[in-house]
Amino acid sequence: MMDLVERHTVLSVVVGSRAYGLDGPESDVDRRGVYVAPTRAFWRLDKPPTHLDGPATEQFSWEIERFCVLALQGNPTVLEVLWSPLIESVGADGQQLLAQRRAFLSQRLAQTYGRYARDQLDRVTARRERTGETNHKQAMHMIRLLVAGAHALRTGEVLVDVRHLRGRLLAVRRGELPWPAVNAWAADLLAELSEAAAASVLPEQPDRDAVDRLLTAVRERNLR
């Protein structure tokens, strides 16, 4: 199965702290990728896997169809792949995917980014109430998601590099910003997310037809 990643990857990027501009000397290199299984492989009883871990440490890849489905749903983790500033490799199909990346965006990002961030906030709060401990890293990513979501709704671009907020975000991760201040920041950002949704430049729905044409063209090119 690793042959699919090693031979058929069309887009490989670095995500995580290095792409966010929040990395330090000990930061991992988190890689995400998209591979295109040969079209004939789908004619068999055993279909190609929709995703694979590895072969490198901290590497995860999606087959292009699964990737497109998740991106159309507004999945923040998947959308970051299309806007990562750290591209390690890109093939012809990957170039086409990047060229169509705005087709995946819609106003539903207000729900997906907001839901992801609220889930993380609820988990941090629940842990604080249960144990008195704060997951500062999770709190930082909650803030980052809210910033990125509002930015995408306002501009039509997914914000990955947040180094302009590096000092304040790292203060959250190190636990230097008091929890009431973090909570207040999150509340302000949730309000900003709602305001950005109300005046969003994005369409109500993603362009499924454009993505369908992209996927069909990829399958035809890989019919060998």
Side-chain angles (χ1 to χ4, degrees), residues 66-126:
R66 179 58 176 164
F67 182 87
C68 287
V69 168
L70 293 173
L72 283 168
Q73 293 171 354
N75 183 302
T77 301
V78 170
L79 290 175
E80 285 179 0
V81 173
L82 296 175
W83 269 267
S84 172
L86 304 178
I87 298 176
E88 290 195 317
S89 67
V90 58
D93 290 330
Q95 291 281 11
Q96 291 299 310
L97 184 61
L98 291 175
Q100 289 292 333
R101 64 186 183 178
R102 289 178 183 82
F104 296 102
L105 303 184
S106 71
Q107 293 177 24
R108 69 177 57 177
L109 297 190
Q111 283 75 48
T112 56
Y113 276 77
R115 184 172 64 249
Y116 272 64
R118 289 187 187 94
D119 285 348
Q120 293 200 24
L121 178 59
D122 289 345
R123 290 174 185 174
V124 174
T125 301

Side-chain angles (χ1 to χ4, degrees), residues 169-214:
L169 286 170
L170 291 182
V172 174
R173 188 167 72 182
R174 291 191 295 261
E176 296 169 357
L177 198 66
W179 179 247
V182 175
N183 220 0
W185 191 5
D188 289 344
L189 290 173
L190 282 166
E192 284 186 30
L193 188 70
S194 296
E195 292 168 6
S200 180
V201 301
L202 297 177
E204 289 187 12
Q205 300 295 330
D207 191 344
R208 290 182 62 89
D209 289 341
V211 176
D212 219 15
R213 290 192 296 271
L214 166 69

Side-chain angles (χ1 to χ4, degrees), residues 4-5 8-12 32-39 41-42 48-52 60-73 78-79 81-82 90-101 104 208 210-224:
L4 288 171
V5 174
H8 298 285
T9 289
V10 298
L11 177 64
S12 178
R32 298 293 178 268
V34 181
Y35 59 91
V36 175
T39 303
F42 291 93
T50 59
H51 58 271
L52 288 166
F60 185 92
S61 302
W62 296 268
E63 208 284 323
I64 191 168
E65 183 173 343
R66 179 58 176 164
F67 182 87
C68 287
V69 168
L70 293 173
L72 283 168
Q73 293 171 354
V78 170
L79 290 175
V81 173
L82 296 175
V90 58
D93 290 330
Q95 291 281 11
Q96 291 299 310
L97 184 61
L98 291 175
Q100 289 292 333
R101 64 186 183 178
F104 296 102
R208 290 182 62 89
V211 176
D212 219 15
R213 290 192 296 271
L214 166 69
L215 186 58
T216 299
V218 168
R219 294 296 187 223
E220 289 176 345
R221 283 194 293 272
N222 289 273
L223 181 56
R224 304 187 183 97

